[in-house]
Amino acid sequence: FKPDAVWLDGSFMWHLIPQVHAHKLPVVVRSLQIESTHVFADEGWSIPNVFRAFVKDLGEEYMAKNADVVIAINRNEADIYKKMGARKVETIPLRQLPSILEKESAAYRDARPLHIQFSASTFSVTHNLEGALKVIHHIAPALEKAAPGEFVIHVTGGKLPERIAKTLPSNVVYEGYVADYEAFMKNIDIALTESLGVVGMHGKLFAPVAAGIPTATQSIALAGFPFKGGEHLLQGESVEQAVKELLLLRDYATRERIGRAGRALSLELFSRNVLIQNLQSVL
């Protein structure tokens, strides 16, 4: 069996590149995230993690210089791979986004309370737990003080520590793992993302934006894509700014305007046609 090319799904498989080149075949490597920065995002800073990140960074640089094509998951990481010496880099974002864009846009309700979603895959990951603590202990109380009874925050994701889940503010509900996520999101008015880290492409941000749900986030999460605060989403770096942005979304017209603008730009950037064009460029 001799294929025309080999596709490696993950930069951690860099050690296979010379084996493929030995057979005079081109190699495409799709990065799921830059592995060296992922160590700190998931597990925090420590001396062993500094060593692990250094070793992983050597692998990333080898991959960038030796793969025939590198596929980055976001624009910031594409620039990093170019600086590492990649000859050709293409950006292909999350594969789930085209299917979200092919479904109906979120509905906009003029009702109270407004339901906010804060999501993570698992709170055993350091930056996910940090974000949850910021939402639960700081944003939620400030929001309730500024607008009593107007917002309910739904926290989804596995492994939230029991000591935290048992002492939630009155306006926070821990949903845990949600089996039918699509059905759950139909009752959500606003998405909130916090402390996303610096690696990969954040589905918890771009999925609700693509669905047309007005979303409040931080600039670090935008990953080089041209979403603008106040136009396509709302952007608040501190607790005070996040609360201020969420309070703006009490207005029905503002929620609809932000939601529709975010979805429209997502269609330009992440549609299936764009995905196919980028894949054709790679191949």
Side-chain angles (χ1 to χ4, degrees):
F1 173 67
K2 187 174 182 180
D4 297 301
V6 174
W7 175 302
L8 302 178
D9 216 40
S11 56
F12 56 87
M13 290 192 280
W14 58 267
H15 56 282
L16 296 177
I17 294 174
Q19 297 181 48
V20 177
H21 279 165
H23 292 273
K24 303 188 185 318
L25 293 171
V27 182
V28 175
V29 180
R30 176 178 178 262
S31 170
L32 307 177
Q33 70 246 328
I34 294 181
E35 290 285 317
S36 51
T37 53
H38 188 66
V39 172
F40 300 120
D42 277 3
E43 301 177 29
W45 290 85
S46 69
I47 292 175
N49 283 348
V50 169
F51 177 75
R52 288 177 60 209
F54 174 74
V55 173
K56 285 178 177 288
D57 200 54
L58 293 177
E60 292 283 352
E61 290 198 21
Y62 180 89
M63 182 278 291
K65 291 175 180 176
N66 290 280
D68 297 281
V69 183
V70 176
I71 299 176
I73 202 168
N74 67 49
R75 292 184 177 181
N76 285 348
E77 293 189 8
D79 290 339
I80 292 172
Y81 282 128
K82 288 175 185 175
K83 290 175 183 176
M84 287 181 177
R87 288 168 284 173
K88 177 172 176 56
V89 182
E90 188 63 72
T91 302
I92 298 180
L94 291 171
R95 294 166 177 170
Q96 74 190 88
L97 296 178
S99 61
I100 292 174
L101 289 163
E102 287 161 0
K103 296 173 183 175
E104 290 185 4
S105 176
Y108 304 101
R109 305 178 311 122
D110 193 7
R112 293 292 188 275
L114 294 169
H115 294 276
I116 301 174
Q117 175 245 14
F118 172 79
S119 179
S121 55
T122 173
F123 294 106
S124 61
V125 173
T126 300
H127 67 86
N128 287 342
L129 182 58
E130 288 175 352
L133 293 176
K134 182 177 177 182
V135 170
I136 292 167
H137 292 159
H138 301 286
I139 293 177
L143 204 55
E144 182 65 13
K145 182 178 180 181
E150 293 203 47
F151 295 94
V152 175
I153 300 176
H154 300 266
V155 177
T156 67
K159 299 183 180 180
L160 184 69
E162 191 174 349
R163 59 184 171 78
I164 298 171
K166 285 184 174 180
T167 58
L168 296 174
S170 60
N171 60 336
V172 177
V173 178
Y174 177 49
E175 305 284 355
Y177 170 74
V178 176
D180 192 342
Y181 197 71
E182 186 176 339
F184 174 80
M185 291 302 291
K186 288 182 179 178
N187 296 312
I188 293 298
D189 300 293
I190 300 164
L192 171 65
T193 63
E194 290 291 333
S195 297
L196 288 164
V198 296
V199 298
M201 186 177 179
H202 306 294
K204 58 195 109 171
L205 164 62
F206 292 103
V209 171
I213 298 172
T215 301
T217 191
Q218 299 164 302
S219 58
I220 195 173
L222 301 180
F225 294 103
F227 291 87
K228 296 180 181 177
E231 183 177 349
H232 307 105
L233 39 71
L234 294 179
Q235 194 173 306
E237 309 303 319
S238 66
V239 169
E240 293 75 19
Q241 290 173 328
V243 171
K244 183 180 178 181
E245 298 300 305
L246 290 169
L247 291 173
L248 292 175
L249 292 175
R250 288 180 294 179
D251 178 60
Y252 173 86
T254 301
R255 290 199 306 280
E256 184 175 20
R257 174 178 62 80
I258 295 290
R260 293 193 185 282
R263 181 174 170 86
L265 183 55
S266 297
L267 279 165
E268 293 180 20
L269 296 171
F270 309 136
S271 71
R272 196 167 303 278
N273 284 340
V274 172
L275 175 66
I276 290 170
Q277 287 171 11
N278 290 350
L279 283 171
Q280 287 175 335
S281 175
V282 167
L283 298 176

